[in-house]
């Protein structure tokens, strides 16, 4: 990837003339092949495309290309006159947002203006001559600080992680108690139509680590055969097909391809080891049935039945069932078999909250609303019912951690802890109007 300039701009709206312009907050020239004045054409192109309703992530003026993203009230723009790898450019721009957010908590105009020196230091370290360099915020924070008086002192000695083969982990880390926490988290996305048929469903999963290990340990993670076959593309009767599998840079891909071992030297602290998606038919874990009855246009009654379609020994925690109601409803009354319901008028919703929902159970909620005596002839599109939940000690895909071996030259003993969580993602059930 070759970038010439990185610009951070803010949009300026002129109320009297009803026009917009831009103000360059900060920029960094990496190669000098593109004139800085070219950025003036970016906002002109952007406004033209906004008026036409055809916004494009890549815009060109002559032989100069603008690749941009918007964050809050800021535009981050990369310019190039080469045939650069666009996906790498965008990965870098989003990495910029991530690093700046780690440093300043919020990335906005004020945080840039208050930290010009640190931003320039970061831009210099993140990229060199148009090529990405050190992009790990934890490593950058070792020698680029927000305290100016310490900045020069810190720069005299560059951390070994910058030049080390293991750039994501510092040397000399020590803990009194060595532990590894492994979280296997799966989110279920489900869309059910009004007839009760599942229209689309998939599972988005990740394996997250929190490592508190001394030295430079090597970890070997073993998954159950079902998932390993899926990862390597081998097909069998019990195999699920994984898509969009992504490993952290610490994983030795060559080792995995040869013997299916996930071997790595982990980053210190929290990290995402891998993520995946499984495009498969998923039975809704919490099934919802609803009946709506209107009486003489003066009142409406809503009955919602929820059933836990998962194992009886499992329990769904912090369940929220959001049921849409007519926008002109008032005077709510509720009756629930478990949990409590409340009316949220600004969102035209009834939120039924259940702290603990055992598998195999059926729960009931009834709601009564008054309606205006004058009938509302407007046809309202009825939004779907949405459900939020979290089920511990359970995964839909069947993924399991078989073992975690921790090898370190000092030979210390470490404790691995594994936790499984299934939670709702985009979980919607449409209803008859």
């Amino acid at each position: 990837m070759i970038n010439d300039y990185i610009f951070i701009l803010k949009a300026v709206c002129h109320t009297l003339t009803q026009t917009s312009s831009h103000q360059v907050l900060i920029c960094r020239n990496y190669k000098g092949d593109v004139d800085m004045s070219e950025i003036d054409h970016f906002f002109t192109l952007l406004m033209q495309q906004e008026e036409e309703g055809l916004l494009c992530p890549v815009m060109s003026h002559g032989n100069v290309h603008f690749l941009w993203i918007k964050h809050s009230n800021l535009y981050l723009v990369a310019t190039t006159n080469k045939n650069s790898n666009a996906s790498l450019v965008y990965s870098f721009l989003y990495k910029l947002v991530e690093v700046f957010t780690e440093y300043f908590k919020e990335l906005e105009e004020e945080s840039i203006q208050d930290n010009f020196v640190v931003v320039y230091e970061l831009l210099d370290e993140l990229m060199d001559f148009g090529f990405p360099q050190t992009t790990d915020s934890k490593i950058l924070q070792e020698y680029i600080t927000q305290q100016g008086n310490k900045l020069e002192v810190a720069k005299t000695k560059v951390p070994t992680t910058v030049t080390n083969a293991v750039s994501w982990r510092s040397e000399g880390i020590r803990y009194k108690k060595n532990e590894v926490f492994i979280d296997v988290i799966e989110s279920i996305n489900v869309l059910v139509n009004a007839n009760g048929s599942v229209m689309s469903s998939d599972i988005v999963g990740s394996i997250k680590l929190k490592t508190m290990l001394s030295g430079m340990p090597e970890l070997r993670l073993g998954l159950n055969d079902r998932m390993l076959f899926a990862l390597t593309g081998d097909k069998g009767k019990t195999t699920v097909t994984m898509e969009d599998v992504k490993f952290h840079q610490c994983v030795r891909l060559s080792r995995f391809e040869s013997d299916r071992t996930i071997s790595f030297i982990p980053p210190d602290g929290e990290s995402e080891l891998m993520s995946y998606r499984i495009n498969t038919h998923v039975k809704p874990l919490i099934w919802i049935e609803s009946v709506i009855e209107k009486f003489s246009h003066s009142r409406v009654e809503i009955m919602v039945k929820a059933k836990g379609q998962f194992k009886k020994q499992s329990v769904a925690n912090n369940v929220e069932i959001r049921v849409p109601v007519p926008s002109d409803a008032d005077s709510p009354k509720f009756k629930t078999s478990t949990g409590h319901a409340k009316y949220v008028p600004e969102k035209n919703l009834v939120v039924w909250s259940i702290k603990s929902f055992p598998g195999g159970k059926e729960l009931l909620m009834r709601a009564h609303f008054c309606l205006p005596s004058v009938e509302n002839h407007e046809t309202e599109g009825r939004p779907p019912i949405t459900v939020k939940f979290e089920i511990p000690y359970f995964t839909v895909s069947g993924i399991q951690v078989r073992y975690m071996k921790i090898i370190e030259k000092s030979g210390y003993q470490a404790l691995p802890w594994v936790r499984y969580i299934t939670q709702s993602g985009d979980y919607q059930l449409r209803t008859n109007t």
Side-chain angles (χ1 to χ4, degrees):
M1 180 184 80
I2 299 176
N3 271 353
D4 293 294
Y5 264 102
I6 292 290
F7 291 90
I8 300 179
L9 311 95
K10 75 163 184 174
V12 180
C13 181
H14 302 284
T15 308
L16 294 176
T17 58
Q18 295 297 311
T19 59
S20 297
S21 64
H22 71 276
Q23 176 184 338
V24 177
L25 294 177
I26 199 166
C27 69
R28 181 67 175 87
N29 181 1
Y30 291 105
K31 288 177 59 62
D33 292 346
V34 174
D35 194 282
M36 183 177 174
S37 61
E38 288 287 343
I39 194 64
D40 295 332
H41 300 293
F42 166 73
F43 239 80
T44 304
L45 293 168
L46 185 69
M47 290 172 61
Q48 289 176 355
Q49 291 194 0
E50 281 183 341
E51 289 174 2
E52 296 168 1
L54 298 170
L55 273 179
C56 181
V58 181
M59 296 184 289
S60 300
H61 178 263
N63 67 338
V64 178
H65 310 290
F66 305 98
L67 297 90
W68 62 281
I69 63 173
K70 187 177 182 182
H71 181 84
S72 300
N73 62 336
L74 301 178
Y75 290 90
L76 285 80
V77 186
T79 63
T80 181
N81 59 4
K82 305 290 192 301
N83 185 19
S84 301
N85 186 325
S87 62
L88 278 175
V89 176
Y90 283 109
S91 294
F92 180 77
L93 290 176
Y94 282 110
K95 195 68 183 179
L96 270 183
V97 173
E98 183 182 321
V99 170
F100 289 155
T101 304
E102 284 283 331
Y103 266 80
F104 314 131
K105 293 186 179 178
E106 295 289 339
L107 176 56
E108 52 192 21
E109 178 188 352
E110 290 76 13
S111 58
I112 297 294
Q113 290 175 337
D114 293 344
N115 297 278
F116 271 127
V117 174
V118 178
V119 172
Y120 271 119
E121 289 279 346
L122 289 170
L123 290 174
D124 281 340
E125 295 297 332
L126 285 159
M127 179 171 283
D128 184 31
F129 201 66
F131 292 92
Q133 300 297 311
T134 306
T135 58
D136 192 316
S137 58
K138 289 182 181 178
I139 304 303
L140 289 166
Q141 285 170 355
E142 290 185 21
Y143 63 106
I144 297 181
T145 71
Q146 288 172 271
Q147 299 173 0
N149 60 328
K150 293 184 179 180
L151 195 59
E152 295 302 320
V153 178
K155 284 174 64 180
T156 59
K157 185 179 179 182
V158 178
T160 55
T161 46
V162 176
T163 55
N164 197 6
V166 185
S167 61
W168 55 87
R169 184 179 179 89
S170 302
E171 293 181 356
I173 296 172
R174 292 288 178 268
Y175 285 99
K176 289 184 178 179
K177 187 177 183 181
N178 294 287
E179 294 179 303
V180 182
F181 297 89
I182 308 166
D183 281 348
V184 181
I185 302 172
E186 292 189 340
S187 298
I188 302 177
N189 300 320
V190 174
L191 176 60
V192 179
N193 67 14
N195 296 324
S197 300
V198 177
M199 298 178 65
S200 65
S201 62
D202 65 4
I203 301 166
V204 178
S206 65
I207 298 178
K208 296 184 178 181
L209 300 179
K210 183 177 181 181
T211 57
M212 295 185 289
L213 298 172
S214 304
M216 198 68 72
E218 179 174 329
L219 275 59
R220 293 176 187 170
L221 178 70
L223 300 177
N224 51 329
D225 291 341
R226 184 183 185 190
M227 305 314 291
L228 287 176
F229 282 127
L231 283 167
T232 51
D234 297 331
K235 293 187 177 180
K237 293 182 179 178
T238 60
T239 301
V240 291
T241 303
M242 278 188 168
E243 300 175 14
D244 304 333
V245 178
K246 185 172 74 171
F247 287 105
H248 189 279
Q249 62 175 328
C250 66
V251 175
R252 296 186 179 92
L253 295 179
S254 57
R255 176 76 182 272
F256 177 78
E257 288 169 359
S258 63
D259 62 7
R260 297 175 183 165
T261 300
I262 302 176
S263 174
F264 57 98
I265 297 173
D268 186 43
E270 296 181 1
S271 61
E272 184 176 82
L273 181 66
M274 67 172 287
S275 61
Y276 57 90
R277 183 171 63 87
I278 301 172
N279 192 7
T280 184
H281 177 80
V282 179
K283 182 175 72 172
L285 297 180
I286 295 181
W287 183 257
I288 304 294
E289 294 179 11
S290 67
V291 178
I292 301 173
E293 289 186 89
K294 287 188 177 181
F295 298 92
S296 306
H297 311 298
S298 60
R299 62 188 176 92
V300 61
E301 288 188 1
I302 302 172
M303 188 274 289
V304 177
K305 183 167 70 173
K307 182 179 180 180
Q309 298 191 137
F310 48 93
K311 296 178 181 178
K312 291 183 178 180
Q313 58 266 37
S314 297
V315 176
N317 297 325
N318 303 316
V319 178
E320 268 193 9
I321 302 170
R322 295 172 172 249
V323 184
V325 298
S327 58
D328 53 354
D330 60 16
S331 305
K333 295 178 183 178
F334 303 109
K335 186 177 181 181
T336 62
S337 59
T338 303
H340 66 277
K342 68 175 181 178
Y343 177 43
V344 185
E346 61 271 19
K347 295 183 179 179
N348 300 320
L349 286 175
V350 170
V351 180
W352 180 16
S353 301
I354 306 163
K355 191 173 182 180
S356 180
F357 193 156
K361 292 282 186 179
E362 283 191 9
L363 305 178
L364 200 66
M365 186 272 290
R366 294 182 182 274
H368 177 280
F369 289 90
C370 293
L371 296 175
S373 56
V374 179
E375 183 180 356
N376 185 359
H377 290 284
E378 295 180 7
T379 57
E380 296 183 357
R382 183 166 169 76
I385 294 174
T386 60
V387 185
K388 290 184 178 181
F389 59 85
E390 186 176 281
I391 306 175
Y393 318 114
F394 172 75
T395 57
V396 180
S397 67
I399 186 171
Q400 289 182 0
V401 175
R402 291 297 189 195
Y403 63 85
M404 167 68 84
K405 293 181 179 178
I406 302 164
I407 304 163
E408 213 277 332
K409 60 184 179 181
S410 64
Y412 62 72
Q413 296 295 313
L415 295 172
W417 305 90
V418 184
R419 179 173 63 169
Y420 301 95
I421 298 173
T422 292
Q423 60 190 19
S424 57
D426 187 9
Y427 196 103
Q428 299 184 3
L429 299 99
R430 294 176 180 172
T431 58
N432 292 310
T433 56

